[in-house]
C-alpha cells in the first residue's frame, strides 16, 4: 500500500510539474498575473508530493518490504537501518528520486527566498525548473520506477553493494546532487532572463548567491567522493580521472567560471552573454554527467547498472533541454548589450582570461572523457584515456589560471597598470620563487613538479596576504581588528576560497612527491618501518559483523619507541553478495596519514600487507572544505542579508501587489 | 655532543630489532617498483576502469606475472608495452599513443587554448574600441539596490 | 548571430556521437590479431595428457578455436550452439581449456557433451594472453594459411553463427 502511495504521489507531482512548466510561463508572456501566481503553490505542492514519494521509499526500506523490486535488489534483512535508508539512493531508480527530490527542494527554496524578485521573473524561473522536473518525473514513471512491485516478494533482499556500505554513502550523493541540481537554479535564472529579455545587473545579483551555494555543495560533494574512494577502495588513490569523476568535475569547472563571470556582470555589467552561456553550460554538464553515468556509453568504476532504453530517454531529454536552451541563447543573446568597457589590463580582462582557461580545462576534460566514444563511433578503434593523459594536459592549463588568480584580486577594475602591479607584487613573487626552489631541497628531493606545486601554492598565499594588507591599509578605523571587521565578508570569502586552492595544491604536491608505500609479507610479531613509523603486526582475528564476516588485523604503531596508535584493517566478506572487500585502516593527521590494508592471508597466520605513509594528504580535502567555507562566507555578506531582511519586512508590511511584466 | 646522539641512536636499535623486520612481498623489490610504474599506465581489460596495478582480477594477476617475467628477462619498457599492445591493442594503454586518430586528443586542449586566447584578445580589442566608458553608472547601481530592496513593494 | 550558434552546433555534433555511442558496447575490445597469423603453441591434450596439440597441425583447413572453462557461465550459454555446429560438421572446433582443472573440465564435457575434435589445456592462461583473450568464452576463426580471420568475444549465439561465422567459414573453405 505504502509504495503505491509513493507512486501515486509521483504521478500527481508529474501533473503539477506539467502545469508549473507551462501556465506561469504563458502568464509571464501574456502579462496575466493570476496565471503567473500559479508558479509558487505549484512548486510547493510538487515539493510535498515528491517528499511523500521519498518518504514512502524510505519506509519500504525501513520495513524491509522485499515486495518492492528496488528494495529487494538493494537491501537485505541483515543490513543495518542507516545503510538501508542510504540505500534509497544506492542504485539508479532511487538516486533518480533523490535527484528529483533535491530539484523540488531547490524549487521550494526559490519560492521562499524570491520575495524581492519581480513576479514575472519568478514565474519564469519556477516554470523552467518545473519543465526540468517534468522530464525527470516522466523518466522515473516510464523506465525507472523505484516503486515497481516484485510479486511474489523475495524472501530476502540481494543487499546493498558492499562498496556502498559506508558512511560516505550517506553523505556523498546528497551533497553532490545538491550541487548538480543547484546549478538548475542559475540555469533557470538565465533562461528566465533570456525569455524576458532582461539580462541586467539585477539578474546577476540575484543569481550570484544561488550559484555560490550550489558550487559549495558541489565542492564538498566531490571532496567527499574523493575521500570515500581513498579509504574505501583500498588502493590509497584519491582521484582516478574516471569518466564519472570527470562528470562531476566538469560542472565544477564551469560553475567556478560562472561565479567569477557573475561577479563581473554584477559589479560592472560586463560579460552578460558569456555569463548566460556559462549558466547554461554548468547545468548542461550536470545533465550530461547523468547521461554518462546511467547510459553505459562509457565504462567506469562507478557506473550504475545500465539499460539502453534509459540511455535513449536521457539523451532525448538532454537534447530537448540543452538544445532548446542553446537555441534560445542563439536567438536572444545577440540583442544583449556589451556592458561596461575596460582595458586589456584590468580586473575584468583577467577574470575573463581566467574564465577562458577554466572553460578550456573543462573542454579538455570533456574531450578526454568522450574521445574513446568518438573513435569507437567512427570505427577508428578502441582506446583508453586515463590519468597519464589528464595529468599531462591539466597541469599546463591550470598553471596560468593560478598565476592570474594571484594577480586578479589586486588589479583595478576597468584599467590596471602592469608596472604598478609588478611593483606591488614583487615581494610576493620573489618570496614564492625563492621558497619554491629551496623548499624541496630542504625536504630532501627536488623535481620540477615539486617546485611548481610549491610555487603555485605560495603565489596564491603571498598574493592573498598582499591583497588583504592593501585592502586594510585603505580603510579608516581605529584598530586593526576594527579594520579587519569592516572588510566585507564577500571579500574574505574570496580570499578564503583562493587559500583553499593553495592548501589543496600543497596536499597534492606533497603526497605526489613524498608518499611511500611497501608491500610486505608480515608474520605475526614482525614489524616494518615506513616514514619513520614502525608497524608491528600482532596477527589477525576473525570478526563477525552484522552482514559480513571479517579478518581483522592488529597493527601497533610506534614512532621512536613511543606508542602512536593501534590500527585495525579488515578483509571483509559480505554474505549476501559473496563479495570480498578491503577495509583499510587509516590514522589521519594534520601532516600525514598512515594507511594499512590487508592483502591476502598467507601460510601460518602471515598476511600480505600494504603500508602507506602519505604526507599532507588530508590537505587535499581540507583545501576543498576551505574553498566551500569561502563560498559560505561570501553569501553571508551584508548585501544579501540586507536584501533578505528588507524583503521579509516588506512581505509583512502589505499583501503583495501585482507586478506588471515590465521586466 | 655528536657522541651523545650516536649513543642515543645505538640504544634505540635493540628496541627496534626486538621485532623481526618483515620481508617485502616481492622477491625483487626493484623489479616490483618497475612493474608498478608500468602497471599504473596499463588498463585491466576485464575490469570496469582500473589500472593493472589496482586490479585483483585473475587476468590482471596473470598479466602482472607476465610483465614480471619480461622484467626478469631484462626487456625494455617499450618492448613490454609492445608485447601487450600486439595482443590487446591500444586499449590497454591509459596514455594513448600519438597516431593520426589521436592527434586531436593530444593537441586539442592546446588548440582550444589558442582559439580561446585569440577570441579573448579580439573581443577585448573590439570592446576597447566600441566602448570607451562604463555603462553601469552610479544611477544603475542605485536602481539595482532599489530593485533588490523594494522589488516586492513596487506597484 | 553566427557565433551565437556555435555552442548549439557543437552540442548537436556531440549528441550525434552520444546517440551512436548508445548502440556500441564499450566493453568489447577488437583484437589486433585479426588478419595476423594465429600465435603458435604446443599444449598437452585434455583427454590424452601425454599428447600435445599445435595449431600447425591444422594447416590447410579452416577451423574454429574456442577458449572455454568449466567455471565460465557464458560457455554453458554457447554450448548448445557449438554442439549443433559440431554435429553439422561445417567446421572442426578445437577447444582450449583455459585456467581450469583437468577433472572439472572432463566432468563438464561428460555432463554437457563434447563439441570439440580435441581439447588442449592452458592451465596458466599463457596461451590465452598470446591470443589476447580477456574473458572466456572467445572463439577464433582460423583460415587455411593459419591466419585469424574473425574473433568472437563472448558466447557464440545462433545469430552470430548463422550470419557471421558460417558464411565466413564457407568463403574461406572455397578459397
Amino acid at each position: 500500500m505504502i509504495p503505491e502511495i509513493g507512486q501515486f504521489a509521483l504521478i500527481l507531482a508529474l501533473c503539477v510539474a506539467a502545469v508549473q512548466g507551462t501556465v506561469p510561463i504563458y502568464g509571464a508572456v501574456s502579462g496575466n498575473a493570476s496565471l503567473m501566481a500559479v508558479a509558487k503553490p505549484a512548486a510547493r505542492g510538487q515539493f510535498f508530493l515528491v517528499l511523500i514519494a521519498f518518504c514512502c521509499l524510505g519506509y519500504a526500506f525501513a520495513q524491509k518490504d522485499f515486495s518492492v523490486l528496488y528494495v529487494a535488489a538493494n537491501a537485505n534483512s541483515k543490513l543495518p537501518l542507516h545503510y538501508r535508508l542510504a540505500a534509497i539512493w544506492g542504485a539508479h531508480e532511487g538516486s533518480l528520486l533523490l535527484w528529483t527530490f533535491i530539484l523540488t527542494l531547490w524549487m521550494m527554496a526559490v519560492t521562499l527566498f524570491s520575495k524581492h524578485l519581480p513576479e514575472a521573473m519568478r514565474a519564469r524561473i519556477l516554470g523552467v525548473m518545473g519543465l526540468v522536473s517534468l522530464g525527470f518525473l516522466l523518466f522515473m514513471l516510464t523506465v525507472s520506477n523505484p516503486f515497481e512491485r516484485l510479486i511474489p516478494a523475495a524472501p530476502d533482499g540481494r543487499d546493498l553493494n558492499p562498496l556502498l556500505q559506508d558512511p560516505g554513502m550517506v553523505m556523498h550523493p546528497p551533497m553532490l546532487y545538491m550541487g548538480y541540481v543547484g546549478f538548475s537554479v542559475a540555469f533557470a535564472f538565465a533562461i528566465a532572463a533570456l525569455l524576458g529579455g532582461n539580462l541586467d545587473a539585477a539578474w546577476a545579483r540575484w543569481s550570484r548567491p544561488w550559484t555560490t551555494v550550489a558550487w559549495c555543495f558541489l565542492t564538498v560533494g566531490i571532496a567527499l567522493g574523493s575521500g570515500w574512494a581513498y579509504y574505501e577502495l583500498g588502493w590509497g588513490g584519491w582521484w582516478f580521472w574516471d569518466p564519472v569523476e570527470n562528470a562531476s568535475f566538469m560542472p565544477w569547472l564551469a560553475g567556478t567560471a560562472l561565479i567569477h563571470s557573475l561577479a563581473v556582470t554584477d559589479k560592472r555589467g560586463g560579460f552578460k552573454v558569456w555569463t548566460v552561456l556559462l549558466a547554461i553550460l554548468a547545468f548542461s554538464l550536470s545533465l550530461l554527467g547523468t547521461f554518462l553515468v546511467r547510459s553505459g556509453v562509457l565504462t567506469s568504476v562507478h557506473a550504475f547498472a545500465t539499460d539502453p532504453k534509459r540511455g535513449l530517454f536521457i539523451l532525448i531529454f538532454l537534447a530537448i533541454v540543452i538544445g532548446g536552451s542553446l537555441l534560445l541563447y542563439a536567438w536572444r543573446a545577440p540583442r544583449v548589450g556589451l556592458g561596461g568597457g575596460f582595458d586589456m589590463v584590468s580586473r575584468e580582462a583577467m577574470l575573463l582570461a581566467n574564465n577562458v582557461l577554466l572553460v578550456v580545462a573543462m573542454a579538455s576534460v570533456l574531450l578526454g572523457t568522450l574521445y574513446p566514444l568518438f573513435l569507437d563511433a567512427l570505427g577508428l578503434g578502441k582506446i583508453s584515456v586515463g590519468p597519464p593523459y589528464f595529468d599531462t594536459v591539466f597541469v599546463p592549463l591550470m598553471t596560468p589560471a593560478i598565476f592570474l588568480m594571484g594577480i586578479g584580486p589586486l588589479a583595478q577594475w576597468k584599467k590596471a597598470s602592469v608596472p604598478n602591479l609588478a611593483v606591488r607584487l614583487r615581494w610576493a613573487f620573489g618570496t614564492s620563487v625563492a621558497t619554491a626552489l629551496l623548499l624541496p631541497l630542504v625536504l630532501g628531493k627536488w623535481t620540477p613538479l615539486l617546485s611548481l606545486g610549491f610555487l603555485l601554492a605560495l603565489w596564491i598565499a603571498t598574493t592573498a596576504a598582499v591583497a588583504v594588507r592593501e585592502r586594510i591599509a585603505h580603510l579608516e578605523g581605529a584598530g586593526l581588528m576594527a579594520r579587519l571587521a569592516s572588510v566585507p565578508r564577500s571579500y574574505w570569502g574570496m580570499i578564503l576560497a583562493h587559500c583553499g586552492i593553495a592548501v589543496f595544491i600543497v596536499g597534492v604536491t606533497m603526497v605526489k612527491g613524498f608518499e611511500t608505500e611497501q608491500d610486505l609479507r608480515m608474520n605475526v610479531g614482525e614489524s616494518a618501518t615506513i616514514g619513520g613509523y614502525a608497524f608491528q603486526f600482532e596477527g589477525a582475528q576473525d570478526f563477525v559483523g552484522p552482514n559480513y564476516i571479517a579478518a581483522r588485523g592488529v597493527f601497533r604503531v610506534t614512532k621512536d619507541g613511543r606508542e602512536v596508535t593501534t590500527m585495525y584493517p579488515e578483509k571483509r566478506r559480505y554474505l549476501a553478495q559473496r563479495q570480498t572487500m578491503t577495509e583499510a585502516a587509516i590514522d589521519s593527521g594534520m601532516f600525514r596519514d598512515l594507511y594499512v590494508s590487508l592483502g591476502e592471508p598467507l601460510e601460518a597466520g602471515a598476511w600480505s600487507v600494504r603500508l602507506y605513509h602519505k604526507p599532507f594528504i588530508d590537505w587535499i580535502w581540507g583545501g576543498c572544505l576551505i574553498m566551500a567555507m569561502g563560498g559560505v562566507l561570501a553569501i553571508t555578506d551584508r548585501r544579501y542579508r540586507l536584501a533578505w531582511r528588507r524583503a521579509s519586512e516588506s512581505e509583512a508590511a502589505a499583501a503583495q501587489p501585482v507586478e506588471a511584466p515590465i521586466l | 655532543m655528536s657522541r651523545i646522539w650516536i649513543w642515543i641512536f645505538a640504544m634505540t636499535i635493540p628496541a627496534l630489532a626486538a621485532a623481526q623486520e618483515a620481508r617485502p612481498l616481492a622477491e625483487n623489490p626493484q623489479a616490483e617498483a618497475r612493474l608498478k610504474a608500468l602497471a599504473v599506465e596499463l588498463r585491466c581489460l576485464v575490469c570496469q576502469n582500473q589500472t593493472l596495478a589496482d586490479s585483483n582480477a585473475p587476468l590482471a594477476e596473470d598479466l602482472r606475472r607476465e610483465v614480471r617475467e619480461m622484467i626478469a628477462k631484462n626487456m625494455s619498457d617499450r618492448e613490454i608495452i609492445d608485447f601487450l599492445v600486439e595482443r590487446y591493442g591500444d586499449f590497454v594503454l591509459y596514455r594513448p599513443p600519438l597516431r593520426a586518430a589521436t592527434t586531436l586528443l593530444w593537441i586539442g586542449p592546446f588548440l582550444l587554448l589558442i582559439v580561446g586566447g585569440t577570441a579573448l584578445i579580439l573581443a577585448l580589442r573590439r570592446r576597447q574600441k566600441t566602448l570607451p566608458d562604463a555603462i553601469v553608472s552610479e544611477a544603475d547601481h542605485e536602481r539595482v539596490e532599489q530593485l533588490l530592496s523594494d522589488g516586492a513593494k513596487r506597484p | 548571430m553566427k557565433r551565437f550558434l556555435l555552442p548549439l552546433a557543437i552540442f548537436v555534433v556531440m549528441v550525434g556521437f552520444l546517440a551512436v555511442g548508445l548502440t556500441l558496447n564499450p566493453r568489447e575490445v577488437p583484437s589486433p590479431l585479426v588478419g595476423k597469423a594465429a600465435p603458435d603453441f604446443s599444449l598437452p591434450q585434455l583427454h590424452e595428457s601425454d599428447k600435445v596439440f599445435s595449431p600447425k597441425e591444422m594447416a590447410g583447413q579452416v577451423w574454429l578455436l574456442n577458449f572455454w572453462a568449466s567455471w565460465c557461465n557464458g560457455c554453458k550459454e554457447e554450448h548448445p550452439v557449438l554442439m549443433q555446429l559440431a554435429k553439422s560438421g561445417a567446421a572442426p572446433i578445437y577447444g582450449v581449456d583455459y585456467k581450469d582443472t583437468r577433472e572439472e573440465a572432463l566432468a563438464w564435457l561428460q555432463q554437457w557433451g563434447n563439441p570439440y575434435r580435441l581439447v588442449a589445456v592452458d592451465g596458466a592462461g599463457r596461451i590465452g594472453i598470446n591470443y589476447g583473450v580477456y574473458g572466456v568464452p572467445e572463439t577464433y576463426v582460423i583460415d587455411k594459411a593459419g591466419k585469424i580471420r574473425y574473433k568472437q568475444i563472448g558466447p557464440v549465439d545462433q545469430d552470430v553463427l548463422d550470419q557471421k561465422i558460417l558464411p565466413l567459414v564457407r568463403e574461406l573453405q572455397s578459397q
Side-chain angles (χ1 to χ4, degrees):
Chain A
M1 184 57 193
I2 298 289
E4 276 69 35
I5 294 177
Q7 165 122 32
F8 189 61
L10 284 185
I11 295 172
L12 283 182
L14 180 80
C15 302
V16 175
V19 172
Q20 188 190 328
T22 48
V23 173
I25 293 181
Y26 178 74
V29 173
S30 61
N32 185 330
S34 54
L35 293 184
M36 285 191 261
V38 169
K40 205 154 120 178
R44 289 184 177 176
Q46 218 192 123
F47 166 73
F48 285 111
L49 287 167
V50 179
L51 178 66
I52 289 171
F54 195 77
C55 292
C56 288
L57 190 61
Y59 182 82
F61 269 106
Q63 294 297 313
K64 305 174 191 172
D65 184 352
F66 297 129
S67 71
V68 176
L69 182 61
Y70 183 73
V71 176
N74 292 292
N76 180 275
S77 53
K78 294 197 187 71
L79 188 68
L81 179 67
H82 54 283
Y83 289 140
R84 286 211 304 281
L85 291 179
I88 295 176
W89 49 82
H92 168 75
E93 291 87 346
S95 68
L96 210 59
L97 181 58
L98 176 70
W99 174 289
T100 315
F101 173 62
I102 288 176
L103 181 60
T104 58
L105 189 71
W106 278 106
M107 280 197 258
M108 185 74 184
V110 170
T111 66
L112 289 175
F113 299 102
S114 64
K115 295 194 178 74
H116 51 280
L117 283 184
E119 184 79 34
M121 184 82 178
R122 179 168 53 201
R124 289 196 184 99
I125 290 166
L126 288 173
V128 171
M129 292 182 82
L131 286 175
V132 173
S133 143
L134 179 72
F136 277 99
L137 286 164
L138 204 59
F139 184 30
M140 245 191 295
L141 288 169
T142 50
V143 286
S144 322
N145 188 352
F147 295 108
E148 199 172 317
R149 285 286 192 177
L150 178 67
I151 293 171
D156 202 347
R158 269 186 306 191
D159 208 356
L160 183 64
N161 181 348
L163 270 176
L164 306 181
Q165 295 184 29
D166 181 275
M169 176 64 190
V170 181
M171 287 309 296
H172 163 64
M175 281 291 190
L176 195 66
Y177 284 13
M178 281 299 282
Y180 273 163
V181 185
F183 283 139
S184 72
V185 183
F187 169 80
F189 268 87
I191 297 297
L194 281 177
L195 283 172
N198 52 332
L199 279 172
D200 54 13
W203 156 73
R205 177 74 62 91
W206 287 323
S207 301
R208 272 183 91 180
W210 294 101
T211 311
T212 309
V213 174
W215 179 88
C216 292
F217 277 116
L218 189 59
T219 308
V220 173
I222 294 174
L224 280 172
S226 153
W228 182 14
Y230 165 69
Y231 67 78
E232 183 70 30
L233 294 179
W235 320 317
W238 53 275
W239 189 260
F240 306 95
W241 293 105
D242 182 83
V244 170
E245 293 171 345
N246 293 348
S248 68
F249 190 43
M250 288 186 283
W252 187 88
L253 287 170
T256 310
L258 176 61
I259 287 179
H260 291 89
S261 172
L262 273 171
V264 182
T265 313
D266 174 16
K267 290 242 173 73
R268 308 277 310 152
F271 303 0
K272 283 177 201 156
V273 175
W274 176 244
T275 307
V276 164
L277 185 61
L278 281 178
I280 296 174
L281 198 64
F283 184 58
S284 300
L285 288 166
S286 300
L287 287 181
L288 180 71
T290 315
F291 172 78
L292 293 182
V293 176
R294 293 158 200 270
S295 66
V297 291
L298 297 169
T299 26
S300 149
V301 213
H302 316 265
F304 286 94
T306 54
D307 175 350
K309 253 191 306 187
R310 290 176 188 162
L312 190 63
F313 189 106
I314 313 180
L315 189 63
I316 293 170
F317 180 59
L318 207 72
I320 295 172
V321 175
I322 305 177
S325 325
L326 291 176
L327 196 64
L328 183 69
Y329 168 81
W331 176 39
R332 291 294 193 135
R335 294 189 220 166
V336 175
L338 278 171
F342 52 82
D343 210 68
M344 290 285 271
V345 181
S346 62
R347 193 187 289 193
E348 288 96 325
M350 285 183 197
L351 279 165
L352 195 54
N354 232 4
N355 257 276
V356 168
L357 287 165
L358 283 169
V359 171
V360 168
M362 184 280 292
S364 306
V365 176
L366 185 66
L367 184 73
T369 309
L370 292 183
Y371 208 82
L373 177 79
F374 293 160
L375 284 196
D376 199 10
L378 294 171
L380 291 171
K382 296 243 177 182
I383 61 159
S384 303
V385 180
Y389 169 82
F390 290 105
D391 288 342
T392 311
V393 164
F394 210 68
V395 174
L397 288 177
M398 277 294 108
T399 305
I402 286 166
F403 181 70
L404 281 175
M405 207 172 110
I407 308 177
L410 282 151
Q412 283 97 341
W413 292 108
K414 215 174 143 191
K415 188 173 175 63
S417 127
V418 178
N420 169 273
L421 278 173
V423 170
R424 285 155 71 203
L425 285 170
R426 60 170 192 250
W427 283 109
F429 188 73
T431 323
S432 320
V433 171
T435 320
L437 286 174
L438 293 176
L439 191 58
L441 292 175
V442 175
L443 294 171
K445 182 175 156 188
W446 193 90
T447 65
L449 276 179
L450 269 180
S451 262
L452 178 68
F454 289 131
L455 176 64
L456 296 177
L458 285 161
W459 173 245
I460 298 170
T462 49
T463 50
V466 171
V468 171
R469 213 196 60 193
E470 289 191 3
R471 180 100 195 194
I472 294 170
H474 292 147
L475 290 168
E476 293 135 38
L480 181 67
M481 286 319 286
R483 282 196 278 174
L484 283 174
S486 67
V487 174
R489 284 205 202 168
S490 58
Y491 189 80
W492 285 121
M494 174 199 68
I495 294 288
L496 194 62
H498 285 184
C499 289
I501 301 257
V503 170
F504 172 84
I505 295 174
V506 170
V508 175
T509 309
M510 286 300 286
V511 84
K512 289 234 174 199
F514 294 101
E515 78 170 327
T516 43
E517 66 169 275
Q518 286 184 21
D519 278 307
L520 299 163
R521 155 199 296 277
M522 292 188 94
N523 288 308
V524 179
E526 280 186 335
S527 86
T529 309
I530 186 164
Y533 292 85
F535 289 74
Q536 181 153 349
F537 181 47
E538 316 256 276
Q541 290 125 26
D542 289 338
F543 176 82
V544 181
N547 55 345
Y548 60 86
I549 49 170
R552 178 190 259 186
V554 180
F555 290 81
R556 258 191 42 230
V557 184
T558 52
K559 186 175 194 184
D560 304 329
R562 263 207 313 259
E563 196 84 20
V564 177
T565 180
T566 308
M567 299 173 74
Y568 305 95
E570 291 179 22
K571 194 86 183 174
R572 288 184 187 169
R573 187 159 176 80
Y574 282 84
L575 301 168
Q577 298 209 338
R578 293 198 212 114
Q579 206 172 331
T580 310
M581 293 286 308
T582 305
E583 287 283 316
I586 300 171
D587 183 58
S588 292
M590 186 72 183
F591 300 111
R592 56 97 190 110
D593 268 16
L594 303 175
Y595 190 113
V596 184
S597 72
L598 283 181
E600 300 300 324
L602 306 169
E603 70 290 343
W607 279 78
S608 70
V609 174
R610 184 172 279 189
L611 303 178
Y612 294 96
H613 176 257
K614 291 178 178 281
F616 286 76
I617 187 153
D618 292 295
W619 287 43
I620 292 174
W621 305 295
C624 296
L625 287 184
I626 294 173
M627 282 182 234
M629 268 156 38
V632 172
L633 203 58
I635 49 165
T636 56
D637 193 71
R638 207 167 147 265
R639 289 185 297 166
Y640 302 123
R641 274 178 294 150
L642 276 184
W644 164 233
R645 199 178 306 143
R646 272 185 240 152
S648 41
E649 277 162 14
S650 70
E651 161 95 335
Q656 261 181 285
V658 177
E659 176 77 37
I662 46 156
L663 284 172
Chain B
M1 189 65 198
S2 65
R3 206 167 280 176
I4 296 173
W5 283 111
I6 292 170
W7 267 109
I8 291 173
F9 186 64
M11 301 264 288
T12 57
I13 288 176
L16 286 174
Q20 208 175 353
E21 273 304 292
R23 273 175 302 142
L25 194 59
E27 280 147 27
N28 181 350
Q30 278 91 34
E32 207 59 20
R34 231 187 108 192
L35 167 71
K36 168 107 193 184
L38 273 168
V40 292
E41 296 214 353
L42 297 171
R43 181 171 192 154
C44 158
L45 285 121
V46 277
C47 315
Q48 289 286 357
N49 184 15
Q50 282 182 10
T51 68
L52 215 50
D54 293 334
S55 170
N56 291 321
L59 179 66
E61 272 164 28
D62 287 356
L63 284 173
R64 282 200 293 265
R65 178 196 65 203
E66 209 72 21
V67 173
R68 243 180 234 125
E69 285 172 9
M70 285 188 273
I71 289 172
K73 275 191 251 164
N74 240 338
M75 286 165 73
S76 72
D77 287 0
R78 187 74 261 156
E79 287 169 323
I80 295 172
I81 285 173
D82 286 346
F83 174 90
L84 291 168
V85 171
E86 255 168 48
R87 284 158 181 76
Y88 296 101
D90 287 344
F91 189 76
V92 288
L93 306 177
Y94 266 130
R95 186 193 294 275
L98 185 61
R99 300 184 199 288
T102 56
T103 318
L104 193 60
L105 175 69
W106 281 105
I107 64 161
F110 303 100
L111 207 64
L112 282 169
L113 188 63
I114 292 167
V115 170
T118 318
L120 174 72
I121 289 169
L122 288 180
L124 290 183
R125 281 247 174 90
R126 209 182 41 193
R127 231 169 207 292
Q128 247 179 326
K129 274 183 203 149
T130 52
L131 291 164
D133 233 331
I135 280 185
V136 179
S137 61
E138 275 312 303
D140 279 336
H141 273 304
E142 261 163 43
R143 191 180 65 86
V144 169
E145 287 299 335
Q146 195 73 14
L147 266 174
L148 285 167
S149 51
D150 307 337
K153 274 189 275 182
R154 267 184 327 138
Chain C
M1 180 72 188
K2 255 188 215 145
R3 70 197 168 97
F4 294 106
L5 276 170
L6 191 66
L8 184 66
I10 295 172
F11 176 71
V12 168
V13 172
M14 206 175 79
V15 167
F17 275 111
L18 293 178
V20 179
L22 275 180
T23 65
L24 303 169
N25 178 1
R27 311 211 44 188
E28 198 172 296
V29 186
S31 172
L33 289 166
V34 174
K36 296 209 178 107
D40 194 22
F41 60 80
S42 173
L43 284 176
Q45 296 183 9
L46 180 66
H47 292 88
E48 295 167 77
S49 56
D50 48 339
K51 285 190 191 163
V52 293
F53 169 72
S54 165
K56 266 188 259 167
E57 297 164 22
M58 299 304 297
Q61 287 192 62
V62 178
W63 58 295
L64 268 58
L65 183 64
N66 174 260
F67 283 80
W68 66 280
S70 65
W71 45 262
C72 128
N73 290 325
C75 301
K76 215 174 280 172
E77 213 178 293
E78 71 172 1
H79 191 262
V81 181
L82 293 186
M83 287 301 284
Q84 180 211 327
L85 175 64
K87 213 175 281 171
S88 78
I93 313 171
Y94 285 75
V96 172
D97 184 28
Y98 178 77
K99 299 193 77 175
D100 206 352
T101 63
R102 192 174 286 269
E103 296 74 43
E104 281 175 306
L106 285 170
W108 196 85
L109 290 178
Q110 193 78 43
Q111 190 182 351
W112 305 102
N114 182 357
Y116 305 108
R117 279 275 177 86
L118 191 152
V119 178
V121 176
D122 182 20
R126 283 170 201 275
I127 302 308
I129 289 179
N130 280 342
Y131 274 81
V133 169
Y134 66 91
V136 279
E138 290 190 7
T139 309
Y140 296 80
V141 179
I142 298 169
D143 71 6
K144 289 177 183 167
K147 262 191 197 161
I148 296 175
R149 303 306 291 259
Y150 175 77
K151 177 184 177 185
Q152 170 65 26
I153 297 158
V156 174
D157 57 20
Q158 201 65 48
D159 281 354
V160 170
L161 185 69
D162 292 342
Q163 281 157 28
K164 287 192 182 144
I165 294 179
L166 283 179
L168 179 66
V169 165
R170 269 183 232 117
E171 188 200 319
L172 292 174
Q173 276 167 342
S174 65
Q175 275 171 5

